[in-house]
Amino acid sequence: MKKDIQIPEVTNVEMAVVYEYNDLYNTDDWNVYIINNKNVDLEMVVIVTQGFSDTKITSLFRKKIDVLPANSFAKIELIQPELFKLNNRFQVTFFEGNTLFEKTFIFKENTIKEGSLRMIDEIKKRGILAS
């Protein structure tokens, strides 16, 4: 039975942590974005995030986006620098048409830092893409 289940591969969807200026609070903040580089809308996007290490684990955070339009992006959450010493996992599920897709993105511990920033063309800001 299991061998008959086909799990489609997720392509052209990315997660990024972006370092950007917050005009409201006059601070530099780290924010997590989801990027849809597909030519189709993603529907019922659910993102479950959690930080973890061998000795610590954070609470789960859930975010739902009804529709993420084709070739667009959305800000998911503010991420505190204290979490950078943990692995940060983002489990993303969505419908593309009538097919359910799922992918887990991970920012490994201590990889989110200013020295690793690069321009993310879709957002037009400096950030780091998840593996």
Side-chain angles (χ1 to χ4, degrees), residues 5-104:
I5 297 173
Q6 303 223 351
I7 301 173
E9 180 183 352
V10 174
T11 58
N12 297 322
V13 175
E14 298 180 275
M15 295 295 297
V17 173
V18 173
Y19 192 56
E20 59 189 336
Y21 187 73
N22 183 325
D23 292 325
L24 184 61
Y25 296 109
N26 297 322
T27 58
D28 290 312
D29 293 335
W30 294 90
N31 291 297
V32 180
Y33 284 82
I34 185 168
I35 304 168
N36 177 11
N37 285 323
K38 292 178 175 282
N39 291 323
V40 295
D41 296 350
L42 305 182
E43 298 175 350
M44 290 297 297
V45 181
V46 175
I47 303 162
V48 179
T49 70
Q50 187 170 47
F52 65 95
S53 71
D54 291 337
T55 58
K56 293 185 179 182
I57 192 163
T58 66
S59 301
L60 286 175
F61 175 82
R62 294 174 184 86
K63 173 78 174 182
K64 181 182 132 226
I65 302 170
D66 290 325
V67 176
L68 183 60
N71 299 303
S72 69
F73 58 89
K75 188 185 294 187
I76 302 303
E77 67 179 12
L78 171 76
I79 186 168
Q80 297 294 328
E82 295 80 25
L83 296 174
F84 298 167
K85 63 185 174 189
L86 302 175
N87 294 299
N88 288 279
R89 176 177 43 227
F90 295 82
Q91 295 172 294
V92 178
T93 57
F94 59 89
F95 280 96
E96 181 182 327
N98 290 326
T99 305
L100 180 67
F101 288 81
E102 178 180 44
K103 183 167 183 177
T104 299

Side-chain angles (χ1 to χ4, degrees), residues 14-19 31 33 35 37 73 107 116-130:
E14 298 180 275
M15 295 295 297
V17 173
V18 173
Y19 192 56
N31 291 297
Y33 284 82
I35 304 168
N37 285 323
F73 58 89
F107 291 94
S116 299
L117 296 173
R118 67 173 187 84
M119 184 57 72
I120 298 175
D121 294 333
E122 297 88 350
I123 302 175
K124 299 195 180 2
K125 295 182 181 182
R126 295 180 323 137
I128 301 160
L129 293 173

